[in-house]
Structures are given as structure tokens and as C-alpha cells.
Amino acid sequence: MNEANAPSPAEVEALRRRLAAAVFAVVDGGPAELPADVAQVLQDTHGIAYVCLRRGGRALAEAWSSGHQETWAAALCQALARARGGVTGARASVDAVEVCLGLAPERARIDKDRAALASHERRGIAGLELTCAAGRERFAPTAQIARNRRTEKWLEAAQKALGLSDAQLAGDDVTLSRFPCAQQLITRADLTVHPLLRGKPLVEPTAITRAGVRELEALWADFLVRGVQPDGRMQYIYYPSRGEEDRKRNNMIRQWMATLALIRLARRRGDKRLIKLADDNLRFNLRAFYRPSGKLGLIEYNHKVKLGAVALAVLSIVEHPQRKQLKRVEPRLWATIDHLWRPGGAFRTFFKPAERNDVQNFYPGEALLAWAARLCEGDDPALYERFMASFHHYRDWHRAQRNPAFVPWHTQAYYEVWRRTGEAALRDFIFEMNDWLLAMQQWDDVAAPDARGRFYDPRHPEYGPPHASATGVYLEGLIDAFALAREVGDSARVAAYRQAILRGLRSARQLTFFGDVDMFYVSKRDALRGGVRNTVYDNVVRVDNVQHNLMAVFKVLDRFTDDDFAAVDRE
């Protein structure tokens, strides 16, 4: 279709509404056909269709069309007619229809170790089909996200369902096909067709306005507040597909970061109720995980005492509005940090087990951030001398073995001390670290547009997979580097860091659960709204996904001007 004949936006919207109405007419028992003008749009493409009929997030019935040769219009009607037969009760109770329209399949190799299926990057984008003489199994991309199921797990289930041995699976008689899919959610209430990518509408960069970031702040804050249980415990991991939290897993560093985020939220809003909630959470953590040991104070979980957990616990106390009430605990925690410091500037990263000294990219930076808060309270020449010894040690350490995880913690610590001292070496290293970090952010080089703005370098798997919490903590550091660049008049870095922040916020918004459309497979939506899923292909919500991004936007909203939000260089 040439541009002259292309439909207007109003015509496209009207066509979508007619498609939505036609889909629900078939679901409700009408003829399995589409109006001619709607069918005409889908007649030019041949492939396969998948539908899932839902009510309140619950799957009532699902079905595929039979083959790959039908037009999309015929395939869609066939799948709808099959699915409606599986609905018990009134079909009018179906409030959403999940639709995937697949293109011609491409064969994928099945290695004995199934290495071809190990990559997550195509999960939730391509449908899968396993065929053999015994039958066929299919897996829709929206179902991959809704069930949060890895491709390998699906293959194991498909292999079992078809009764295939490992040898048969790897043989020539078995075909594994992938087929890219156009994904939509069609909703009854507004008769709207919502285009999806990996089960979520695509967030455009232009959505990152001041109003849009304020909306994120409110959503994330509400989620964090709802995570505090009646006894003060903070929910750590939530599984949207199951509608439940995981009580078996926990992490003290992330728990204390959540406490710190609650305290900052409460102080920011000046809300006594939130201050009480943050205090409840802090005191629960102390009751459950703090214990004195001589002159030291330990944060222990699962037989481990980590430098980072101690540092974030004491930082939470420093920022607590009722800090004086915790004066018996605070000095012991400081003493533990001092105990783990070495005269050359290095930190031991574990008090227990004492033989461990790894995770150097994280815990020393968290300890230095705690020390920075202490230095900002007043002159302490001895502490400043130790801080700078650690700065020199870890600057050399990072230059010898760069890792992006190192950057945000040290950036935040050094920026706070630079603001007080103006030390040029701190300024220069902040710029050096963050200039290097920018290359980790993906934009035009991603396989799918929903991944734009995340921090991930596939050439360096040792840096770890992409993750919402990583994006959030990088943003926490980048906004400090941005503020530093503006304070010293470095306009080129202001522009570069601003662009990275806007792009990172686009990624964070992409991963945030907003409403009924991106929670189409969730029944307990009130519990999930405002949660941030791990990645575009993993819907699990972890507390640090929320709190890191929340603490970053506190600073972004305070430091960005309206012109910064309006910058066109986010593209």
C-alpha cells in the first residue's frame, strides 16, 4: 500500500474497533467470520493463529489454528471457534482475548545439549512448534511471558507429551520451528486492540516526560509501601504468574536498600504514616537479622555477614528521622565496617565466612557510600584519610579489571565527598567511570525495541545478564555524574549522561506493571501494580527492581529541568 492510499489514524482506529467487535462476536457464538473490510486487511498474510480467552486475568480456554497455510483472517476465526468451545459458563464473561498471529516458520537446530534454546533474547517474541509423527506441540510467545516459562522447560514438557527420547528429539524426524508473531490483546470493555511486544505495549522514548516520571515515582512508591507486611517485613520476590510471593528466598543487602528507599520516600513526602511504616520495616530487620558481637554489630542471614548489608543498614539508620533512638546499634555497625577495612585501602567483604573476600565490585562501594554520609555530617580528618586511601586502592583495582557493577556505588560515594571537598581526583574518576559505562547501554543494537535503554553487553557475559535492578542502580550513579557535569560546566557530559538517563528510564517504564493491559494474565492485579519485572522476558518482580529505580527518580525529578526532559537527543 503506497502512502497516498494509507489509511488515516482515525481509519486505523475504527478498523481496530471493528476487529475487536468481530472477535467478541465470534467468542459469543456468532459465525466464525470477520467483516469483509476487516478480513481484507488480514487476507494478504498467511500463517498461524493462537488465541487465549480470559476473564479477570484467568485463562478460560486457548486454541491454535490447524496449519500454516490459512490467511490470518481464516486462521484467527478458526482458533476463536475452537477456543470458545472450551469456555464453561457464559461466554460473555470473557473480557479479553489474547491473540498471536504467526508468520511462516523457520526450523531451529536441536543440539543434544539444547544450546540453541539457551538464549533468552527471543523468548516472548517467537512462537515455537515441535512436530513429529506422534503429533505436535506449540508454545505462543505471549504464553511464554504469562507463564514465565523458559524455552528449555517447554521443550522438556513437549518432549514428554510426545513421548520422545533424547535420541529421537535430536533426530531428523523431529522438527522444531520458530515463527515470529504479531501480538495483540483485545479488550471487551473498550473494544480496543492493544498491540503488544512480549506481553506489554511498547513504551516510546517520548513517554519519558516529567509527568511520566512522576507517574513512575507514584507507582513504584505505592508498590514499595504495599510490600511492607503487618509485622514490618518487606516482601522480597513476587511471582505474577502464580500471584504469590516467595518466602523461601531473601537477601539482606536488597532488604536494607528497600528500607533506605522507604525512609527517603517518607522524608520526601513528610508523611508521618510513612515514617512509621519505614520505622516498622527497619526495626523488623533489626529484630530478625541484627546481633551484637562484642563491640561489633552484625547483619546476619543464612550464616553470612556481608560488608554491604552492614553498610546499608547503618546508612538507613543515619537517614532515619528518629536516628537517636538507635544509638546503641549505630556505633556497632560503624565498628564492623572499620573492622573490615585494611590500611592499604581495601575492604574485607565478609565478616562471616571469614575466608570469603569476593564481591569486590559491590560491597566496598556500599561501605564507601556509608562513609561518605558520615563525612558529610562534619569534619573527620582520620575518616577522610581512610576514605581517600580506599579511593586510590579501588581506582587502581577498577582500572585493572573494569566491571559496570562497580561504577554506581563508587560514583555516589565519591560525588557526595566531592561536593564537600572539591577533590579533583574524585571528579575525574567519576567521569572516567561513567564515560566507560555508557558503552554498556543498548539502544540501536538490540534484537527487539522493548530492550532499548537497558545496560547489557552481550560481548561480556561475565558482567551478568540484563536486569531491572542493574538499570536502576546505574541510573542512581548516572544522575550524580550528570549533576557533577552540570556543576563544573561540562556541557558535553551533561548531554551524554542526560541521554543515558532518559533511555534508562524508558527501559524501566517498559518493565513496570501499569494496568489491565500489561497485567492481562494476572488475577491479583492490585498486588502487582507498580512492580518492575526483572527483564523483558522474565516477569518476576524483585524488591530492588523497584527501590533502585525509585531512588534514582527522586534525584532525577529534583535535578532535571523541564528542558532536560524535553531533550530530543533521547532518540
Side-chain angles (χ1 to χ4, degrees):
M1 182 179 292
N2 60 45
E3 291 187 8
N5 295 327
S8 68
E11 290 171 330
V12 170
E13 181 59 27
L15 197 62
R16 285 179 172 174
R17 288 188 178 278
R18 284 177 57 75
L19 172 60
V23 163
F24 280 106
V26 176
V27 169
D28 292 343
E33 59 186 34
L34 302 178
D37 58 337
V38 175
Q40 183 61 43
V41 176
L42 300 177
Q43 291 287 15
D44 295 337
T45 308
H46 289 70
I48 192 171
Y50 164 83
V51 300
C52 181
L53 311 184
R54 294 185 176 272
R55 177 174 63 235
R58 298 185 183 278
L60 302 177
E62 62 180 340
W64 290 88
S65 59
S66 58
H68 292 273
Q69 303 306 314
E70 295 92 345
T71 67
W72 268 0
L76 176 58
C77 289
Q78 186 182 110
L80 287 169
R82 289 180 172 181
R84 72 186 181 189
V87 177
T88 58
R91 291 169 180 159
S93 66
V94 173
D95 58 24
V97 180
E98 174 187 344
V99 176
C100 293
L101 299 174
L103 295 171
E106 59 182 26
R107 179 163 182 169
R109 179 180 175 83
I110 307 178
D111 295 322
K112 288 185 179 180
D113 61 357
R114 301 172 183 177
L117 299 172
S119 172
H120 298 302
E121 290 304 311
R122 295 180 74 175
R123 197 200 317 174
I125 293 177
L128 296 167
E129 180 178 86
L130 189 69
T131 57
C132 63
R136 173 174 59 199
E137 292 290 321
R138 290 169 172 164
F139 198 18
T142 49
Q144 294 164 31
I145 299 301
R147 298 171 192 171
N148 210 45
R149 200 173 194 186
R150 290 181 298 151
T151 304
E152 273 192 4
K153 291 294 185 182
W154 169 80
L155 183 59
E156 290 173 5
Q159 178 183 356
K160 183 177 181 180
L162 295 171
L164 299 172
S165 66
D166 288 345
Q168 289 173 318
L169 182 67
D172 293 335
D173 295 334
V174 176
T175 300
L176 174 65
S177 300
R178 290 193 180 101
F179 45 94
C181 287
Q183 306 169 25
Q184 301 89 22
L185 183 74
I186 303 178
T187 49
R188 186 188 290 270
D190 51 6
L191 289 181
T192 298
V193 178
H194 303 272
L196 303 177
L197 180 57
R198 279 192 267 234
K200 185 170 174 61
L202 182 65
V203 174
E204 297 296 339
T206 51
I208 307 306
T209 62
R210 183 177 292 280
V213 175
R214 281 179 175 156
E215 182 183 21
L216 286 174
E217 179 191 39
L219 281 166
W220 293 339
D222 288 349
F223 181 87
L224 197 66
V225 167
R226 290 198 312 273
V228 181
Q229 307 303 303
D231 61 356
R233 177 183 65 84
M234 172 64 78
Q235 176 179 274
Y236 175 51
I237 290 179
Y238 189 82
Y239 297 118
S241 299
R242 302 184 201 168
E244 61 185 29
E245 67 167 310
D246 188 339
R247 293 294 301 273
K248 295 180 180 179
R249 298 170 61 188
N250 209 349
N251 181 288
M252 283 305 96
I253 291 174
R254 295 164 188 158
Q255 284 288 1
W256 282 102
M257 287 189 297
T259 302
L260 181 61
L262 278 172
I263 290 170
R264 289 182 180 176
L265 173 66
R267 297 188 69 147
R268 186 177 183 85
R269 292 187 179 176
D271 187 327
K272 292 182 179 179
R273 183 186 66 86
L274 290 182
I275 291 172
K276 173 65 166 57
L277 191 75
D279 182 68
D280 289 345
N281 175 239
L282 183 148
R283 292 182 186 276
F284 172 87
N285 287 344
L286 290 176
R287 289 194 307 272
F289 308 112
Y290 169 80
R291 66 176 180 85
S293 177
K295 294 182 179 180
L296 306 182
L298 310 179
I299 302 296
E300 184 168 357
Y301 173 70
N302 200 22
H303 309 294
K304 296 181 180 69
V305 178
K306 304 173 182 179
L307 169 66
V310 173
L312 289 161
V314 76
L315 187 58
S316 297
I317 291 173
V318 167
E319 297 197 22
H320 194 295
Q322 284 104 36
R323 177 183 181 183
K324 291 181 179 179
Q325 296 178 8
L326 302 162
K327 60 184 179 182
R328 293 185 179 181
V329 176
E330 182 182 340
R332 291 178 182 272
L333 294 172
W334 287 123
T336 303
I337 296 176
D338 294 344
H339 175 81
L340 292 171
W341 185 78
R342 297 295 179 264
F347 283 96
R348 296 288 304 179
T349 51
F350 283 80
F351 180 85
K352 183 180 180 181
E355 66 273 14
R356 282 192 64 176
N357 194 32
D358 54 326
V359 204
Q360 287 281 340
N361 280 309
F362 292 86
Y363 301 170
E366 292 157 359
L368 288 173
L369 184 58
W371 270 3
R374 193 170 174 183
L375 285 169
C376 288
E377 293 185 324
D379 292 333
D380 188 337
L383 180 59
Y384 180 69
E385 183 178 346
R386 282 184 286 159
F387 183 95
M388 292 305 296
S390 290
F391 162 71
H392 290 295
H393 170 82
Y394 283 106
R395 181 178 62 180
D396 294 344
W397 190 89
H398 179 64
R399 285 171 173 172
Q401 47 200 332
R402 292 189 188 273
N403 190 296
F406 177 97
V407 175
W409 296 108
H410 288 261
T411 295
Q412 292 177 83
Y414 301 153
Y415 175 65
E416 291 302 320
V417 175
W418 175 85
R419 292 176 70 185
R420 185 170 180 84
T421 67
E423 173 59 54
L426 297 175
R427 175 201 64 205
D428 294 345
F429 190 48
I430 289 172
F431 288 152
E432 177 185 324
M433 288 187 292
N434 286 277
D435 289 352
W436 175 80
L437 177 67
L438 293 185
M440 304 297 113
Q441 190 176 36
Q442 295 185 294
W443 195 249
D444 293 326
D445 56 342
V446 292
D450 59 341
R452 298 175 91 189
R454 69 184 183 180
F455 289 81
Y456 173 57
D457 189 345
R459 299 167 300 177
H460 290 277
E462 70 275 16
Y463 294 162
H467 203 281
S469 66
T471 295
V473 75
Y474 295 143
L475 290 175
E476 285 188 84
L478 277 165
I479 186 59
D480 282 354
F482 167 88
L484 173 62
R486 176 156 282 169
E487 288 176 59
V488 301
D490 190 333
S491 58
R493 284 193 169 96
V494 166
Y497 298 157
R498 177 181 59 212
Q499 181 186 68
I501 291 165
L502 291 167
R503 290 177 171 182
L505 289 171
R506 192 226 70 84
S507 176
R509 187 180 179 97
Q510 184 72 56
L511 300 176
T512 300
F513 287 101
F514 270 81
D516 292 347
V517 174
D518 60 5
M519 293 191 286
F520 67 88
Y521 55 90
V522 176
S523 56
K524 299 178 182 178
R525 295 175 182 174
D526 289 342
L528 185 60
R529 188 170 285 104
V532 180
R533 70 194 206 187
N534 287 342
T535 64
V536 290
Y537 51 76
D538 178 357
N539 71 25
V540 173
V541 174
R542 209 171 68 187
V543 68
D544 53 319
N545 299 351
V546 177
Q547 61 83 198
H548 273 311
N549 284 285
L550 178 61
M551 290 202 290
V553 301
F554 288 161
K555 292 190 282 189
V556 170
L557 287 169
D558 289 345
R559 295 172 182 173
F560 264 34
T561 66
D562 290 340
D563 287 342
D564 290 325
F565 280 111
V568 296
D569 60 0
R570 72 185 73 180
E571 297 291 348

